[in-house]
Amino acid sequence: MTGVSPWLALPEGRPTPGLTRQLRAAHETFVTRGAPPPRPAVRPVVRDSWVRSLGSGVDPDGQGPPVDLLDDALAAYRAGHPLAPVLPVIRRLLVEDAEADRMIVAVTDADGRMLWVEGDSRLRRLAENMNFVPGARWSEDVAGTNAPGTALALDHPVQFFGSEHYRRPVQPWSCSAAPVHHPVTGVLLGAIDVTGGDHVASPHVLTLVRATVAAVESELRWLHREEQRDERPTRTAAAPARETAPLLEVLGRDRARLTRAEGAVELSLRHSELLLLLAEAAVTGEGRSAERLAAECHGGGAAVTVRAELSRLRRLVGPELVGSRPYRLLGPLDTDVGALRRLLDRGAVTAALDRYPGPVLPRSGAPGVAAARWRTAVALRAAVLASRRPELLLRWTALPEARDDAAAWQALLEVLPAGSPRRPAVAAHLLALRRGPRG
């Protein structure tokens, strides 16, 4: 049939005669002989997923996926996940009718871990037999072909009917899922899945899931706007509205970017250093002499050189932003470093880590910038270690600056569940750090 979406499992809403038998025969041939599944019988999205599952070492008859998070660790992770605030939307659109519709509704994170599994209580009890439970990781490379895991792997809505699943214990089930992104940053947050009988593989269920994702992303956009509004200073009714303050971005950037109402400009490295140092000084309401800036920029260079650079900087950004005698900021200037610190002050460690693409001006050797870089990294590291949350520690240890951070790797090993497939690699890396470099 032409014009049919390849992502639909049952375009007609019900399986054709003999479909299950054909799929099981193709699956048996594939897993026992490695022979490519015949194209008419197996959809390309299914065939490709089977190949990836086989390549990842997924056992078609093995035990259920591992449970990464349990009890308090799971509760803490769910509470801090970006999808937690929009769970009421998912419940209203999908979960409230799931019992009557004989469906399970699951919400995962971006790694395929089940965060919430709700809906028909009888089906949920049955699904527990295959570890379809909160905290279990259903990524495709671990659980084989399944709607939430494959939707995340391909970053596309998809559904699977019965024996299209790679693992045989999952083949009595059908499922439809779609990925969820942050509407502003585009970051993949997780997936929404509906699991049940054959009827779940019909086109209208995937349409319902996609509509729910659209509603969730719309709610996330609204929440983002409210959060941005909350971060702005409160104005009285009589106070005139002020323009948005210029923004200086230095995290993970070789050279700073200054964004103002008239547009954005990338600064030279020296101008990046000077403007950041003035912004850091403004936090305490201080100015800087040319001699002190020379010490913070050059480690004791000539003040006349700094004066010349500051003169050029003032011509570039305007005398209304940078003043002299002493050198200081004359108007408000937001920085991404300051925003990160405010998030840490509020205890929003996940959001702070989301806004940390890398260290402050990593190519700068200026002593004052190095100090700001160290303060920022130390504050973020301390918050991540204090959280004792495996997903945050995993993200922190993946950063270049944490590669040799033995304390962070030790903390990660301590909080990873015993059955986590990541434990061997973490333990091996920690052992290598303790042994030190080999001569």
Side-chain angles (χ1 to χ4, degrees):
M1 182 184 302
T2 60
V4 174
S5 170
W7 307 98
L8 296 177
L10 302 177
E12 301 298 326
R14 60 186 182 278
T16 57
L19 176 60
T20 296
R21 184 175 63 255
Q22 294 172 9
L23 287 170
R24 288 182 177 174
H27 181 268
E28 176 67 21
T29 301
F30 178 73
V31 299
T32 56
R33 305 177 192 171
R39 291 183 179 273
V42 181
R43 292 184 292 150
V45 66
V46 176
R47 181 175 62 250
D48 294 345
S49 179
W50 285 2
V51 171
R52 290 193 299 270
S53 301
L54 180 65
S56 298
V58 178
D59 185 347
D61 297 303
Q63 296 180 343
V67 178
D68 286 351
L69 297 170
L70 290 168
D71 304 326
D72 292 344
L74 174 62
Y77 182 46
R78 291 196 297 198
H81 195 273
L83 291 178
V86 295
L87 191 59
V89 176
I90 301 171
R91 285 172 171 156
R92 183 172 67 251
L93 295 178
L94 288 177
V95 179
E96 288 181 1
D97 296 324
E99 194 93 30
D101 292 338
R102 294 170 291 118
M103 300 188 308
I104 300 172
V105 178
V107 181
T108 80
D109 68 3
D111 291 325
R113 277 187 294 254
M114 296 287 170
L115 301 180
W116 294 275
V117 180
E118 302 182 0
D120 187 293
S121 56
R122 184 186 67 85
L123 290 182
R124 280 190 287 122
R125 286 193 297 271
L126 292 174
E128 289 176 358
N129 295 326
M130 58 178 183
N131 268 10
F132 198 81
V133 295
R137 183 150 53 94
W138 278 73
S139 57
E140 187 188 70
D141 63 326
V142 171
T145 306
N146 70 93
T150 304
L152 292 170
L154 301 179
D155 198 10
H156 198 284
V158 67
Q159 59 183 186
F160 294 112
F161 162 72
S163 296
E164 289 183 325
H165 289 95
Y166 182 74
R167 294 183 60 252
R168 289 189 177 94
V170 191
Q171 290 182 353
W173 302 83
S174 294
C175 48
S176 298
V180 182
H181 300 85
H182 192 286
V184 177
T185 65
V187 171
L188 180 64
L189 301 178
I192 297 175
D193 167 75
V194 171
T195 291
D198 294 356
H199 65 291
V200 171
S202 62
H204 83 273
V205 173
L206 188 59
T207 299
L208 178 60
V209 172
R210 296 178 69 171
T212 302
V213 168
V216 163
E217 292 178 349
S218 177
E219 181 76 1
L220 286 169
R221 185 182 298 276
W222 182 84
L223 290 172
H224 177 80
R225 289 173 179 166
E226 289 298 300
E227 180 181 301
Q228 295 296 105
R229 185 178 294 114
D230 290 343
E231 289 184 357
R232 298 171 188 161
T234 303
R235 298 195 304 264
T236 63
R242 70 172 180 88
E243 294 182 357
T244 302
L247 172 65
L248 184 69
E249 297 171 275
V250 295
L251 289 173
R253 299 183 61 86
D254 291 337
R255 300 193 299 170
R257 179 171 59 196
L258 179 64
T259 303
R260 296 176 291 179
E262 56 268 32
V265 59
E266 188 173 55
L267 305 177
S268 69
L269 179 57
R270 184 60 73 204
H271 287 167
S272 301
E273 294 166 343
L274 287 168
L275 196 53
L276 173 63
L277 291 172
L278 292 176
E280 290 287 284
V283 174
T284 57
E286 298 177 349
R288 288 288 189 268
S289 65
E291 290 74 18
R292 182 165 178 181
L293 283 172
E296 292 181 334
C297 270
H298 303 283
V304 65
T305 303
V306 168
R307 291 192 184 98
E309 290 288 355
L310 282 165
S311 179
R312 286 189 283 270
L313 177 62
R314 293 184 72 205
R315 286 198 298 271
L316 177 65
V317 303
E320 69 280 359
L321 181 59
V322 177
S324 60
R325 299 179 185 177
Y327 293 105
R328 66 202 185 280
L329 294 181
L330 297 178
L333 176 64
D334 289 337
T335 67
D336 52 359
V337 172
L340 186 146
R341 289 172 183 159
R342 290 193 295 273
L343 288 169
L344 290 177
D345 289 342
R346 301 205 316 253
V349 185
T350 301
L353 203 52
D354 288 342
R355 295 195 183 188
Y356 185 75
V360 174
L361 296 177
R363 291 184 59 187
S364 172
V369 172
R373 182 187 306 138
W374 179 83
R375 287 194 301 269
T376 303
V378 165
L380 182 59
R381 174 186 180 274
V384 171
L385 265 64
S387 74
R388 305 290 294 175
R389 290 168 56 183
E391 77 282 1
L392 297 185
L393 284 161
L394 281 167
R395 291 174 60 185
W396 175 253
T397 52
L399 294 172
E401 53 262 56
R403 183 69 184 170
D404 299 325
D405 188 347
W409 286 89
Q410 177 65 46
L412 174 59
L413 186 63
E414 290 173 358
V415 299
L416 280 176
S420 172
R422 304 202 186 203
R423 285 187 64 88
V426 172
H429 185 78
L430 181 60
L431 180 61
L433 289 178
R434 288 172 173 168
R435 286 177 173 171
R438 296 182 178 178

